[in-house]
Amino acid sequence: MKKKPTSQNSLRLGLCCQFLEEPIQFRNTTVKANSSMDRPAALEKLSRLCRENAVALQAALKYCVTHDIGCFRINSQILPLKTHPECGYETNDLPEGKEIVSLFKQCGKYAREHNLRTSFHPDQFVVLNSPRPDVVERSIAELEYQANVAEWVNADVINIHGGGAYGHKQSALKQFAKNLRRLSKRVRSRLTVENDDTTYTPSDLLPLCRETGIPLVYDVHHHRCLPDTLSIEEATNEALTTWNREPLFHISSPLEGWKGPKPQRHHDFISIKDVPHCWEKQELTIEVEAKAKELAVLKLKRSLKRRLG
């Protein structure tokens, strides 16, 4: 399942979900709009949106290949309202269900042929260690849906956060590990966990990763906002050991600088100074979390090329 970066420096940069200037858009709808329609009409609209999103994904992947961007993170609402308790559906419920699946599988074939990595990062409502059973059930349903699409498009990462601490981090992480057993193999084989900027540091998550075999997506921006006893280089090396395929990390820069009032907020672009030197010689995917989207990825590529010579 491991894939090789295409860059001469072994770093694969990733574009996250959307475009700033390129005319490629993914469509969504609201529960209110969907609920106002009768079911056949609602399914007809959802079918159209899913098909349009599959076509948009094909265009997004082609853009990445053309511009030597090695990874594309797919929007978690690529199938709008898929797991909503009232508006949800199965793909075979959609008028164009078979064609939609075929289009997504063509995306997967294209990604394989061009050594393009794809990933998912479910929305914040996916919380595996929530004390509320309904939240856990909905989280599992969402992960299963995204893993289903991941099979079609050849995605090897579905990345989530550790969730809440709920008064006791260790107990909360034990609940996370317990609920992992409720996931299918197709989810487990792709699932990763990421350190965040409010609750779980790399040091908190590494024991969970080692115990469960779930890789750590190391977010260096989050680590700088919520540090622990590990240096960036130590956290990098520890995170690398959790992967059984090409590791995937995150990079961001603070909107108002590291001395600004809210360093958690993302800048439009990435400062080359924020890319750890210890990442340079790794075979590594770096997803670029920046508001300027494809422009930020391309600018960072140029900056890395200058730095690495």
Side-chain angles (χ1 to χ4, degrees), residues 13-15 20-21 63 67-69 251 253 267-275 288 290-308:
L13 296 186
L15 171 61
L20 184 66
E21 291 188 349
Y63 177 93
H67 292 83
D68 194 26
I69 295 173
I251 189 73
S253 288
H267 198 285
D268 289 353
F269 294 93
I270 304 298
S271 169
I272 190 63
K273 296 178 181 179
D274 290 330
V275 181
V288 177
K291 294 179 181 178
K293 298 300 180 181
E294 76 274 20
L295 302 185
V297 178
L298 296 175
K299 183 178 179 181
L300 181 57
K301 280 180 65 66
R302 294 191 295 270
S303 297
L304 281 169
K305 186 175 182 179
R306 286 193 298 271
R307 188 166 96 175
L308 297 171

Side-chain angles (χ1 to χ4, degrees), residues 96-167:
E96 296 181 280
K98 289 184 178 179
E99 182 184 359
I100 289 165
V101 173
S102 177
L103 287 171
F104 278 113
K105 288 183 176 180
Q106 289 174 36
C107 291
K109 182 174 183 290
Y110 181 85
R112 281 191 299 273
E113 290 173 348
H114 292 85
N115 190 33
L116 177 64
R117 196 175 195 183
T118 53
S119 70
F120 285 86
H121 194 354
D123 294 329
Q124 296 294 328
F125 70 79
V126 173
V127 183
L128 273 185
N129 65 352
S130 173
R132 291 177 49 186
D134 62 316
V135 172
V136 175
E137 290 294 336
R138 188 176 177 191
S139 298
I140 291 172
E142 186 71 9
L143 290 171
E144 293 292 346
Y145 137 61
Q146 294 191 31
N148 190 20
V149 181
E151 286 185 326
W152 301 341
V153 300
N154 199 42
D156 69 333
V157 168
I158 300 175
N159 180 49
I160 62 175
H161 289 174
Y166 307 110

